[in-house]
Amino acid sequence: MAPRLRGKWALGITPRNFTWVLKDKMAICERPGGVGENHRRVRRQEEIIWLRENGFGCVISIIAAPHNLHNYDELQMPYRHRPFNAEHPDPYLKSLYTEIRELLRHDTKLMVHADELGDRLIGVMGGYIRWSGLVDDPTQAIQVTERIAGRQLDPFAREIIMRAHTLR
């Protein structure tokens, strides 16, 4: 049973670098609780509580390590572990994008996270925007993704977006 908190902590705290990709449908953030020496166990719990209390139906973690996944179980937050496959990105992305599309079709509010809110995660989400047909033109898809990220993307992220349509 998930702990029931009272007062201001009952709603948790917004995850670091929380950013909507699709307003009220899919967001991205850094790993709940932070990464490395910035990681805090209590913060992780508070951020997971915030996700749960704000109606997120599933967290998708694209980090390689399964560390901390048990915390989602403890706090009754559905999750899926989908470690990014840098050796075979195309089949990985096609599978991930198909899974995201199905979750969104069932009105599941999603949070996708990596260790940090970096170009890998942003590129994967920009690729989804293009793959799903929301923005078909590659240049526009990159521009939209850069607006979401609030900065220019690196070549890796741009390449994912440029190739995303071939994965349909």
Side-chain angles (χ1 to χ4, degrees):
M1 211 52 196
R4 279 286 169 216
L5 302 174
R6 296 165 116 169
K8 72 178 191 175
W9 302 115
L11 298 178
I13 57 175
T14 307
R16 283 190 183 130
N17 297 311
F18 176 88
T19 306
W20 287 109
V21 175
L22 302 173
K23 183 74 172 146
D24 296 327
K25 294 181 181 196
M26 182 170 61
I28 53 178
C29 68
E30 74 175 40
R31 182 177 85 175
V35 64
E37 60 186 47
N38 291 326
H39 184 78
R40 301 286 182 266
R41 181 177 139 325
V42 171
R43 182 171 184 93
R44 179 182 63 235
Q45 291 174 323
E46 291 169 351
E47 290 177 0
I48 294 171
I49 289 167
W50 186 90
L51 292 169
R52 185 186 69 207
E53 296 301 315
N54 281 278
F56 284 86
C58 187
V59 171
I60 298 177
S61 173
I62 69 166
I63 64 174
H67 307 324
N68 301 324
L69 294 177
H70 66 280
N71 292 288
Y72 295 121
D73 287 327
E74 289 171 6
L75 294 167
Q76 297 178 338
M77 182 72 224
Y79 72 92
R80 297 183 183 185
H81 186 218
R82 303 296 184 255
F84 185 78
N85 186 338
E87 291 181 26
H88 305 286
D90 289 351
Y92 167 83
L93 291 169
K94 184 175 184 175
S95 175
L96 179 67
Y97 293 161
T98 301
E99 185 172 17
I100 289 171
R101 180 184 60 203
E102 289 307 308
L103 287 165
L104 292 174
R105 276 187 183 162
H106 289 94
D107 294 322
T108 303
K109 194 171 171 183
L110 298 177
M111 170 61 71
V112 183
H113 78 80
D115 277 329
E116 61 184 6
L117 190 61
D119 285 312
R120 175 174 286 179
L121 178 59
I122 294 167
V124 167
M125 292 295 97
Y128 179 78
I129 290 169
R130 182 151 188 235
W131 178 86
S132 66
L134 292 170
V135 179
D136 204 41
D137 178 71
T139 304
Q140 282 185 315
I142 290 170
Q143 290 171 346
V144 166
T145 306
E146 287 179 336
R147 255 185 269 132
I148 290 168
R151 61 184 169 80
Q152 287 188 331
L153 300 177
D154 72 0
F156 175 85
R158 288 171 177 255
E159 180 63 26
I160 288 177
I161 295 167
M162 294 297 289
R163 288 194 344 258
H165 72 288
T166 66
L167 305 174
R168 291 183 189 154

